[in-house]
Amino acid sequence: MAQTITEKIFSEHVGKKVFAGEIVRSSIDMVIGNDITTPISISAFNLSGATKLANPDGFSIVLDHFIPAKDIASANQARISRDFAKKHNLKNFFDEKDMGIEHALLPEKGLIVPGDVIIGADSHTCTHGALGAFSTGMGSTDLAFAMITGGNWFKVPESIKVILSGKPGKYTTGKDIILEIIRMIGVDGALYKTLEFTGSTIEHLNMDDRFSMCNMAIEAGAKSGIVAYDDVTKEFLSDKNLARKPKIHHSDADASYCQTLEIDVANLEPVIAYPFLPSNGHSITQAVKDNIKIDQAFIGSCTNGRLGDLKTAAEILKGKKVHEDVRLIVTPGTQKILQEAYKLGYMDIIIDAGGVVSNPTCGACLGGYMGILGDNEVAVSTTNRNFVGRMGSRSSKVYLANSAVAAISAITGYITDPR
C-alpha cells in the first residue's frame, strides 16, 4: 500500500510498514526541553529512579523563555536544568553562552535532520517538520519517558494534503499561507493530523517561510506540519555538521489523505489574524479599512525571528522613523542571526529608525518579559498566538501578521499594507 511521508518516517523507525491510525512505539532521534518544561521532566526522571539518559546525544535543553533570568523564580528554574546538564555531561545544552530560541537554534546547529522523529515539551516543536522530519510537542512527563527509554508511543496521524499553487507576491510569506489555512479550517481543523505542504508554490518558499508554516500547524490543532526534502532543504543543510545521516522520504503519488486543501497563493494578500484567535484571519485590505491603531510592533519569535524577517524589516525601515506613539521591539531567533544581521547592517537600520533589539528570547511572545502589553494596548506581532492576555494585560489586543506588515505599521502607527 502507498504511504504518506509521515507513515514512511514511522515505518523506518518501527521496522515495519505502518499506517495512519496505528499505535506504535517508536525510537526518537531528538528530545527537546526548555527552561519552563524541562524541570518537570527532570523531576519525573528522578522520581522514576533512572540514573542515566537512554540517548544523551539525542537530548537537547535550550534555555530560551526567561533567559537571562528575569527574576528569582526563573533563575532557580534554569538552575535545575543547568545542574542536570552538568551531572549528565550533556553535549547539547544551550544557555546564555550560545543562546537562541529552541526552534531556530536547533536547526541552525544541525541537530534536526530529515527523516527524524522529534519530540519537545513545547507545542511549537512542529516547526522542525520544515526539514522533512516528524516533529511534535508532548508533555513534560512524556519527555521524561523518552529521556529514560529513548522512545515513546504515538498514534500515526492521518494527513491533510495542502496543495499550494502559484508564486507568492513580494510581501506574501509563509506566515500568510499558514494564517490563511488556519482561517479556512479553524483552530481545530487539523486536530491530531499532519499538515503536509505540497504543490508548485513550495519551490518559491525559502526555509524561513517553511519554518513559519510548520511552526503554526499547531494553531490549526495539527500534530505536525511537514515539507518534503528538496533542493531548498539541501541548500539550507549544506553548511551544517549534521548530527545524523539524513533519511529522505517522499509521499507516494497514490498515498491516502483524509482531506485535501487547495490554495492559489498567487492571489493571496498578506493575512492579519485579529484577536482573539489565530483563525480570525482578514486580508490586509480589510485591516487597512478598519484603521487599527497600534501601540507596539513586535518582530521575532520562533515563527518569524529569522534573518529573512530582519532583512525585510530593515528594507522597509531604512531612512524612516518609528512612529512617536509606537514601540518597535525586534528579537532575533539566535545569536548567530543577530551577529549576521549586524554584519549586513540590518540592526543599525532598525536601531536608527527607533527600534529596540533584545537578546534571543521567547519572553515577549508569551507575555513573560521583553515586551509585555499594558491595559488596552494594541500590538501587531509576528508571533503565533493572539489569545486573551497572550502578550500581557487581558484587555490588550494582538494582531498576528508577517514581518513586512509589522515593520511598516511601526512607521505609520496603524496596521498598514506594505505593498
Side-chain angles (χ1 to χ4, degrees):
M1 289 178 62
Q3 291 180 298
T4 65
I5 184 174
T6 298
E7 290 169 333
K8 288 184 176 183
I9 290 171
F10 274 113
S11 295
E12 190 273 327
H13 281 74
V14 172
K16 65 175 183 177
K17 257 194 171 184
V18 298
F19 297 91
E22 292 188 44
I23 307 294
V24 299
R25 171 75 177 271
S26 173
S27 60
I28 295 171
D29 299 287
M30 181 55 68
V31 176
I32 308 167
N34 61 49
D35 48 322
I36 292 179
T37 59
T38 307
I40 303 169
S41 304
I42 291 170
S43 177
F45 179 92
N46 292 333
L47 283 171
S48 76
T51 58
K52 63 179 183 178
L53 295 162
N55 179 15
D57 290 348
F59 180 44
S60 297
I61 301 177
V62 185
L63 307 187
D64 60 359
H65 282 66
F66 295 128
I67 299 299
K70 76 179 184 74
D71 52 25
I72 295 169
S74 60
N76 288 334
Q77 188 89 340
R79 184 173 181 175
I80 295 170
S81 293
R82 287 195 178 97
D83 290 346
F84 185 86
K86 187 174 182 179
K87 179 180 178 180
H88 293 271
N89 195 27
L90 197 64
K91 181 171 70 175
N92 300 318
F93 175 74
F94 304 99
D95 62 1
E96 289 92 338
K97 299 175 190 66
D98 191 3
M99 71 188 310
I101 298 171
E102 58 196 294
H103 308 310
L105 184 67
L106 297 185
E108 181 179 282
K109 296 289 185 183
L111 293 170
I112 306 299
V113 178
D116 277 357
V117 169
I118 301 161
I119 69 166
D122 184 276
S123 59
H124 291 104
T125 304
C126 49
T127 306
H128 306 301
L131 290 172
F134 175 83
S135 190
T136 193
M138 299 181 86
S140 293
T141 49
D142 295 304
L143 208 75
F145 184 78
M147 290 160 63
I148 296 163
T149 68
N152 217 317
W153 293 94
F154 299 87
K155 179 182 178 183
V156 181
E158 294 179 296
S159 293
I160 296 175
K161 188 174 188 178
V162 181
I163 303 173
L164 306 170
S165 60
K167 184 177 180 179
K170 181 178 180 182
Y171 290 120
T172 298
T173 69
K175 179 66 166 288
D176 304 296
I177 294 170
I178 190 61
L179 284 175
E180 175 66 4
I181 292 168
I182 299 165
R183 185 197 66 77
M184 291 169 65
I185 66 176
V187 293
D188 60 353
L191 201 62
Y192 212 101
K193 296 177 174 65
T194 290
L195 286 175
E196 183 179 328
F197 303 105
T198 70
S200 61
T201 302
I202 296 297
E203 66 184 68
H204 300 295
L205 300 178
N206 60 32
M207 285 308 306
D208 290 357
D209 291 315
R210 298 176 186 200
F211 282 127
S212 288
M213 288 159 53
C214 290
N215 174 272
M216 289 191 67
I218 183 62
E219 264 54 80
K223 191 70 175 170
S224 63
I226 197 163
V227 180
Y229 180 98
D230 63 5
D231 287 343
V232 175
T233 326
K234 182 179 180 181
E235 174 63 24
F236 176 82
L237 295 173
S238 63
D239 64 345
K240 309 288 188 295
N241 182 21
L242 296 180
R244 292 164 296 284
K245 183 179 179 181
K247 296 181 175 65
I248 311 303
H249 299 286
H250 294 86
S251 293
D252 295 324
D254 54 345
S256 294
Y257 294 88
C258 63
Q259 186 180 351
T260 299
L261 299 174
E262 297 189 34
I263 299 175
D264 179 4
V265 176
N267 292 316
L268 181 65
E269 289 188 73
V271 178
I272 311 299
Y274 284 33
F276 290 98
L277 283 174
S279 59
N280 191 13
H282 298 263
S283 70
I284 186 65
T285 298
Q286 181 61 53
V288 170
K289 288 179 181 177
D290 290 341
N291 205 35
I292 302 163
K293 189 176 188 300
I294 64 168
D295 301 288
Q296 180 169 299
F298 178 80
I299 299 172
S301 85
C302 60
T303 317
N304 285 108
R306 294 179 170 81
L307 190 63
D309 297 292
L310 305 184
K311 178 183 179 182
T312 296
E315 288 173 349
I316 290 172
L317 289 164
K318 189 171 184 178
K320 307 286 198 310
K321 289 292 183 182
V322 172
H323 192 279
E324 62 181 0
D325 296 331
V326 176
R327 308 180 299 273
L328 171 61
I329 300 171
V330 177
T331 298
T334 69
Q335 293 283 57
K336 184 177 180 180
I337 291 171
L338 176 59
Q339 287 179 314
E340 190 65 21
Y342 269 115
K343 288 177 185 175
L344 293 168
Y346 303 158
M347 288 313 187
D348 286 339
I349 292 170
I350 290 167
I351 293 169
D352 287 345
V356 62
V357 179
S358 83
N359 59 275
T361 175
C362 305
C365 178
L366 78 159
Y369 77 145
M370 294 285 196
I372 293 174
L373 297 176
D375 293 342
N376 301 309
E377 288 194 317
V378 176
V380 61
S381 176
T382 69
T383 52
N384 39 53
R385 289 181 179 154
N386 58 350
F387 308 146
V388 173
R390 170 66 179 183
M391 290 183 71
S393 169
R394 290 183 63 80
S395 63
S396 65
K397 294 180 179 178
V398 177
Y399 292 80
L400 302 179
N402 69 36
S403 297
V405 172
I408 191 66
S409 301
I411 296 168
T412 64
Y414 292 80
I415 292 182
T416 301
D417 190 339
R419 299 171 301 174

PDB file of all heavy atoms in Angstrom, residues 2-27:
ATOM      1  N   ALA A   2       0.350   2.283  -0.674  1.00  0.00           N
ATOM      2  CA  ALA A   2       1.059   3.555  -0.745  1.00  0.00           C
ATOM      3  C   ALA A   2       1.056   4.235   0.622  1.00  0.00           C
ATOM      4  O   ALA A   2       0.162   4.029   1.440  1.00  0.00           O
ATOM      5  CB  ALA A   2       0.400   4.455  -1.781  1.00  0.00           C
ATOM      6  N   GLN A   3       2.073   5.081   0.856  1.00  0.00           N
ATOM      7  CA  GLN A   3       2.217   5.735   2.151  1.00  0.00           C
ATOM      8  C   GLN A   3       2.499   7.231   2.001  1.00  0.00           C
ATOM      9  O   GLN A   3       3.100   7.682   1.018  1.00  0.00           O
ATOM     10  CB  GLN A   3       3.373   5.115   2.944  1.00  0.00           C
ATOM     11  CG  GLN A   3       3.147   3.696   3.432  1.00  0.00           C
ATOM     12  CD  GLN A   3       4.346   3.182   4.197  1.00  0.00           C
ATOM     13  OE1 GLN A   3       5.431   3.070   3.643  1.00  0.00           O
ATOM     14  NE2 GLN A   3       4.150   2.883   5.478  1.00  0.00           N
ATOM     15  N   THR A   4       2.103   7.982   3.024  1.00  0.00           N
ATOM     16  CA  THR A   4       2.491   9.389   3.127  1.00  0.00           C
ATOM     17  C   THR A   4       3.909   9.466   3.693  1.00  0.00           C
ATOM     18  O   THR A   4       4.436   8.484   4.234  1.00  0.00           O
ATOM     19  CB  THR A   4       1.546  10.164   4.059  1.00  0.00           C
ATOM     20  OG1 THR A   4       1.685   9.638   5.385  1.00  0.00           O
ATOM     21  CG2 THR A   4       0.098  10.045   3.602  1.00  0.00           C
ATOM     22  N   ILE A   5       4.506  10.628   3.618  1.00  0.00           N
ATOM     23  CA  ILE A   5       5.844  10.825   4.169  1.00  0.00           C
ATOM     24  C   ILE A   5       5.860  10.527   5.668  1.00  0.00           C
ATOM     25  O   ILE A   5       6.810   9.925   6.190  1.00  0.00           O
ATOM     26  CB  ILE A   5       6.353  12.256   3.864  1.00  0.00           C
ATOM     27  CG1 ILE A   5       7.789  12.437   4.364  1.00  0.00           C
ATOM     28  CG2 ILE A   5       5.423  13.314   4.439  1.00  0.00           C
ATOM     29  CD1 ILE A   5       8.401  13.777   3.951  1.00  0.00           C
ATOM     30  N   THR A   6       4.799  10.908   6.369  1.00  0.00           N
ATOM     31  CA  THR A   6       4.729  10.674   7.814  1.00  0.00           C
ATOM     32  C   THR A   6       4.671   9.182   8.112  1.00  0.00           C
ATOM     33  O   THR A   6       5.364   8.690   9.021  1.00  0.00           O
ATOM     34  CB  THR A   6       3.509  11.396   8.402  1.00  0.00           C
ATOM     35  OG1 THR A   6       3.665  12.805   8.183  1.00  0.00           O
ATOM     36  CG2 THR A   6       3.380  11.130   9.894  1.00  0.00           C
ATOM     37  N   GLU A   7       3.877   8.441   7.369  1.00  0.00           N
ATOM     38  CA  GLU A   7       3.802   6.986   7.553  1.00  0.00           C
ATOM     39  C   GLU A   7       5.152   6.336   7.256  1.00  0.00           C
ATOM     40  O   GLU A   7       5.562   5.394   7.952  1.00  0.00           O
ATOM     41  CB  GLU A   7       2.714   6.412   6.648  1.00  0.00           C
ATOM     42  CG  GLU A   7       1.302   6.798   7.080  1.00  0.00           C
ATOM     43  CD  GLU A   7       0.241   6.462   6.045  1.00  0.00           C
ATOM     44  OE1 GLU A   7       0.574   6.421   4.829  1.00  0.00           O
ATOM     45  OE2 GLU A   7      -0.923   6.259   6.433  1.00  0.00           O
ATOM     46  N   LYS A   8       5.859   6.848   6.268  1.00  0.00           N
ATOM     47  CA  LYS A   8       7.176   6.289   5.919  1.00  0.00           C
ATOM     48  C   LYS A   8       8.204   6.546   7.016  1.00  0.00           C
ATOM     49  O   LYS A   8       9.030   5.671   7.327  1.00  0.00           O
ATOM     50  CB  LYS A   8       7.660   6.872   4.590  1.00  0.00           C
ATOM     51  CG  LYS A   8       6.905   6.350   3.380  1.00  0.00           C
ATOM     52  CD  LYS A   8       7.501   6.885   2.080  1.00  0.00           C
ATOM     53  CE  LYS A   8       6.809   6.292   0.872  1.00  0.00           C
ATOM     54  NZ  LYS A   8       7.418   6.731  -0.402  1.00  0.00           N
ATOM     55  N   ILE A   9       8.174   7.740   7.600  1.00  0.00           N
ATOM     56  CA  ILE A   9       9.124   8.046   8.681  1.00  0.00           C
ATOM     57  C   ILE A   9       8.905   7.104   9.859  1.00  0.00           C
ATOM     58  O   ILE A   9       9.864   6.544  10.407  1.00  0.00           O
ATOM     59  CB  ILE A   9       8.993   9.521   9.113  1.00  0.00           C
ATOM     60  CG1 ILE A   9       9.518  10.451   8.003  1.00  0.00           C
ATOM     61  CG2 ILE A   9       9.753   9.776  10.418  1.00  0.00           C
ATOM     62  CD1 ILE A   9       9.239  11.928   8.242  1.00  0.00           C
ATOM     63  N   PHE A  10       7.651   6.903  10.253  1.00  0.00           N
ATOM     64  CA  PHE A  10       7.371   5.987  11.359  1.00  0.00           C
ATOM     65  C   PHE A  10       7.703   4.550  10.987  1.00  0.00           C
ATOM     66  O   PHE A  10       8.225   3.794  11.817  1.00  0.00           O
ATOM     67  CB  PHE A  10       5.916   6.118  11.814  1.00  0.00           C
ATOM     68  CG  PHE A  10       5.698   7.216  12.818  1.00  0.00           C
ATOM     69  CD1 PHE A  10       4.946   8.338  12.490  1.00  0.00           C
ATOM     70  CD2 PHE A  10       6.264   7.141  14.079  1.00  0.00           C
ATOM     71  CE1 PHE A  10       4.756   9.359  13.419  1.00  0.00           C
ATOM     72  CE2 PHE A  10       6.084   8.155  15.011  1.00  0.00           C
ATOM     73  CZ  PHE A  10       5.325   9.274  14.682  1.00  0.00           C
ATOM     74  N   SER A  11       7.440   4.157   9.769  1.00  0.00           N
ATOM     75  CA  SER A  11       7.754   2.790   9.336  1.00  0.00           C
ATOM     76  C   SER A  11       9.250   2.511   9.458  1.00  0.00           C
ATOM     77  O   SER A  11       9.665   1.444   9.923  1.00  0.00           O
ATOM     78  CB  SER A  11       7.301   2.573   7.889  1.00  0.00           C
ATOM     79  OG  SER A  11       5.901   2.653   7.765  1.00  0.00           O
ATOM     80  N   GLU A  12      10.044   3.485   9.063  1.00  0.00           N
ATOM     81  CA  GLU A  12      11.505   3.329   9.144  1.00  0.00           C
ATOM     82  C   GLU A  12      11.960   3.192  10.585  1.00  0.00           C
ATOM     83  O   GLU A  12      12.861   2.419  10.904  1.00  0.00           O
ATOM     84  CB  GLU A  12      12.170   4.530   8.462  1.00  0.00           C
ATOM     85  CG  GLU A  12      13.673   4.395   8.254  1.00  0.00           C
ATOM     86  CD  GLU A  12      14.467   4.874   9.454  1.00  0.00           C
ATOM     87  OE1 GLU A  12      13.999   5.813  10.122  1.00  0.00           O
ATOM     88  OE2 GLU A  12      15.527   4.283   9.716  1.00  0.00           O
ATOM     89  N   HIS A  13      11.310   3.917  11.484  1.00  0.00           N
ATOM     90  CA  HIS A  13      11.698   3.872  12.893  1.00  0.00           C
ATOM     91  C   HIS A  13      11.180   2.630  13.610  1.00  0.00           C
ATOM     92  O   HIS A  13      11.821   2.139  14.544  1.00  0.00           O
ATOM     93  CB  HIS A  13      11.214   5.138  13.616  1.00  0.00           C
ATOM     94  CG  HIS A  13      12.076   6.329  13.380  1.00  0.00           C
ATOM     95  ND1 HIS A  13      12.096   7.028  12.187  1.00  0.00           N
ATOM     96  CD2 HIS A  13      12.980   6.962  14.189  1.00  0.00           C
ATOM     97  CE1 HIS A  13      12.958   8.021  12.272  1.00  0.00           C
ATOM     98  NE2 HIS A  13      13.509   8.010  13.470  1.00  0.00           N
ATOM     99  N   VAL A  14      10.020   2.143  13.166  1.00  0.00           N
ATOM    100  CA  VAL A  14       9.407   0.995  13.833  1.00  0.00           C
ATOM    101  C   VAL A  14       9.942  -0.330  13.273  1.00  0.00           C
ATOM    102  O   VAL A  14       9.952  -1.352  13.968  1.00  0.00           O
ATOM    103  CB  VAL A  14       7.867   1.069  13.688  1.00  0.00           C
ATOM    104  CG1 VAL A  14       7.183  -0.194  14.191  1.00  0.00           C
ATOM    105  CG2 VAL A  14       7.332   2.283  14.443  1.00  0.00           C
ATOM    106  N   GLY A  15      10.394  -0.293  12.030  1.00  0.00           N
ATOM    107  CA  GLY A  15      10.944  -1.510  11.422  1.00  0.00           C
ATOM    108  C   GLY A  15       9.930  -2.334  10.652  1.00  0.00           C
ATOM    109  O   GLY A  15      10.183  -3.474  10.279  1.00  0.00           O
ATOM    110  N   LYS A  16       8.765  -1.746  10.391  1.00  0.00           N
ATOM    111  CA  LYS A  16       7.747  -2.405   9.574  1.00  0.00           C
ATOM    112  C   LYS A  16       6.821  -1.340   9.014  1.00  0.00           C
ATOM    113  O   LYS A  16       6.775  -0.205   9.525  1.00  0.00           O
ATOM    114  CB  LYS A  16       6.944  -3.408  10.400  1.00  0.00           C
ATOM    115  CG  LYS A  16       6.123  -2.776  11.513  1.00  0.00           C
ATOM    116  CD  LYS A  16       5.254  -3.817  12.232  1.00  0.00           C
ATOM    117  CE  LYS A  16       4.387  -3.137  13.298  1.00  0.00           C
ATOM    118  NZ  LYS A  16       3.485  -4.089  13.975  1.00  0.00           N
ATOM    119  N   LYS A  17       6.072  -1.680   7.980  1.00  0.00           N
ATOM    120  CA  LYS A  17       5.151  -0.726   7.385  1.00  0.00           C
ATOM    121  C   LYS A  17       4.010  -0.418   8.345  1.00  0.00           C
ATOM    122  O   LYS A  17       3.361  -1.330   8.844  1.00  0.00           O
ATOM    123  CB  LYS A  17       4.584  -1.272   6.070  1.00  0.00           C
ATOM    124  CG  LYS A  17       5.203  -0.669   4.819  1.00  0.00           C
ATOM    125  CD  LYS A  17       4.394  -0.990   3.575  1.00  0.00           C
ATOM    126  CE  LYS A  17       4.939  -0.186   2.390  1.00  0.00           C
ATOM    127  NZ  LYS A  17       4.118  -0.392   1.175  1.00  0.00           N
ATOM    128  N   VAL A  18       3.785   0.872   8.603  1.00  0.00           N
ATOM    129  CA  VAL A  18       2.671   1.278   9.457  1.00  0.00           C
ATOM    130  C   VAL A  18       1.880   2.366   8.742  1.00  0.00           C
ATOM    131  O   VAL A  18       2.391   3.044   7.842  1.00  0.00           O
ATOM    132  CB  VAL A  18       3.142   1.776  10.836  1.00  0.00           C
ATOM    133  CG1 VAL A  18       3.861   0.660  11.590  1.00  0.00           C
ATOM    134  CG2 VAL A  18       4.044   2.999  10.701  1.00  0.00           C
ATOM    135  N   PHE A  19       0.633   2.524   9.187  1.00  0.00           N
ATOM    136  CA  PHE A  19      -0.271   3.459   8.520  1.00  0.00           C
ATOM    137  C   PHE A  19      -1.026   4.290   9.549  1.00  0.00           C
ATOM    138  O   PHE A  19      -1.040   3.978  10.740  1.00  0.00           O
ATOM    139  CB  PHE A  19      -1.251   2.688   7.621  1.00  0.00           C
ATOM    140  CG  PHE A  19      -0.568   1.947   6.500  1.00  0.00           C
ATOM    141  CD1 PHE A  19      -0.143   0.634   6.667  1.00  0.00           C
ATOM    142  CD2 PHE A  19      -0.336   2.572   5.283  1.00  0.00           C
ATOM    143  CE1 PHE A  19       0.502  -0.047   5.652  1.00  0.00           C
ATOM    144  CE2 PHE A  19       0.311   1.899   4.251  1.00  0.00           C
ATOM    145  CZ  PHE A  19       0.732   0.587   4.439  1.00  0.00           C
ATOM    146  N   ALA A  20      -1.662   5.337   9.060  1.00  0.00           N
ATOM    147  CA  ALA A  20      -2.406   6.254   9.920  1.00  0.00           C
ATOM    148  C   ALA A  20      -3.413   5.501  10.777  1.00  0.00           C
ATOM    149  O   ALA A  20      -4.100   4.593  10.310  1.00  0.00           O
ATOM    150  CB  ALA A  20      -3.117   7.300   9.073  1.00  0.00           C
ATOM    151  N   GLY A  21      -3.450   5.882  12.052  1.00  0.00           N
ATOM    152  CA  GLY A  21      -4.378   5.274  12.989  1.00  0.00           C
ATOM    153  C   GLY A  21      -3.750   4.201  13.858  1.00  0.00           C
ATOM    154  O   GLY A  21      -4.299   3.856  14.914  1.00  0.00           O
ATOM    155  N   GLU A  22      -2.602   3.671  13.442  1.00  0.00           N
ATOM    156  CA  GLU A  22      -1.938   2.633  14.232  1.00  0.00           C
ATOM    157  C   GLU A  22      -1.221   3.239  15.428  1.00  0.00           C
ATOM    158  O   GLU A  22      -0.678   4.349  15.357  1.00  0.00           O
ATOM    159  CB  GLU A  22      -0.926   1.863  13.378  1.00  0.00           C
ATOM    160  CG  GLU A  22      -1.551   1.001  12.287  1.00  0.00           C
ATOM    161  CD  GLU A  22      -0.523   0.117  11.599  1.00  0.00           C
ATOM    162  OE1 GLU A  22       0.318  -0.480  12.303  1.00  0.00           O
ATOM    163  OE2 GLU A  22      -0.558   0.038  10.348  1.00  0.00           O
ATOM    164  N   ILE A  23      -1.223   2.518  16.541  1.00  0.00           N
ATOM    165  CA  ILE A  23      -0.473   2.908  17.730  1.00  0.00           C
ATOM    166  C   ILE A  23       0.872   2.208  17.679  1.00  0.00           C
ATOM    167  O   ILE A  23       0.941   0.987  17.568  1.00  0.00           O
ATOM    168  CB  ILE A  23      -1.213   2.501  19.020  1.00  0.00           C
ATOM    169  CG1 ILE A  23      -2.651   3.033  19.013  1.00  0.00           C
ATOM    170  CG2 ILE A  23      -0.445   2.988  20.248  1.00  0.00           C
ATOM    171  CD1 ILE A  23      -2.779   4.528  19.061  1.00  0.00           C
ATOM    172  N   VAL A  24       1.957   2.988  17.732  1.00  0.00           N
ATOM    173  CA  VAL A  24       3.299   2.406  17.585  1.00  0.00           C
ATOM    174  C   VAL A  24       4.215   2.906  18.701  1.00  0.00           C
ATOM    175  O   VAL A  24       4.032   3.987  19.246  1.00  0.00           O
ATOM    176  CB  VAL A  24       3.924   2.756  16.213  1.00  0.00           C
ATOM    177  CG1 VAL A  24       3.066   2.197  15.084  1.00  0.00           C
ATOM    178  CG2 VAL A  24       4.130   4.261  16.053  1.00  0.00           C
ATOM    179  N   ARG A  25       5.189   2.093  19.001  1.00  0.00           N
ATOM    180  CA  ARG A  25       6.278   2.506  19.905  1.00  0.00           C
ATOM    181  C   ARG A  25       7.477   2.794  19.012  1.00  0.00           C
ATOM    182  O   ARG A  25       8.012   1.897  18.361  1.00  0.00           O
ATOM    183  CB  ARG A  25       6.588   1.384  20.903  1.00  0.00           C
ATOM    184  CG  ARG A  25       7.838   1.608  21.750  1.00  0.00           C
ATOM    185  CD  ARG A  25       7.633   2.635  22.860  1.00  0.00           C
ATOM    186  NE  ARG A  25       8.826   2.764  23.674  1.00  0.00           N
ATOM    187  CZ  ARG A  25       9.096   2.024  24.756  1.00  0.00           C
ATOM    188  NH1 ARG A  25       8.243   1.089  25.142  1.00  0.00           N
ATOM    189  NH2 ARG A  25      10.198   2.236  25.453  1.00  0.00           N
ATOM    190  N   SER A  26       7.876   4.052  18.971  1.00  0.00           N
ATOM    191  CA  SER A  26       8.945   4.476  18.064  1.00  0.00           C
ATOM    192  C   SER A  26      10.138   5.003  18.830  1.00  0.00           C
ATOM    193  O   SER A  26       9.997   5.648  19.880  1.00  0.00           O
ATOM    194  CB  SER A  26       8.419   5.575  17.131  1.00  0.00           C
ATOM    195  OG  SER A  26       9.454   6.123  16.337  1.00  0.00           O
ATOM    196  N   SER A  27      11.310   4.746  18.289  1.00  0.00           N
ATOM    197  CA  SER A  27      12.509   5.404  18.797  1.00  0.00           C
ATOM    198  C   SER A  27      12.440   6.883  18.437  1.00  0.00           C
ATOM    199  O   SER A  27      11.723   7.279  17.508  1.00  0.00           O
ATOM    200  CB  SER A  27      13.761   4.781  18.182  1.00  0.00           C
ATOM    201  OG  SER A  27      13.747   4.906  16.767  1.00  0.00           O
TER     202      SER A  27
END
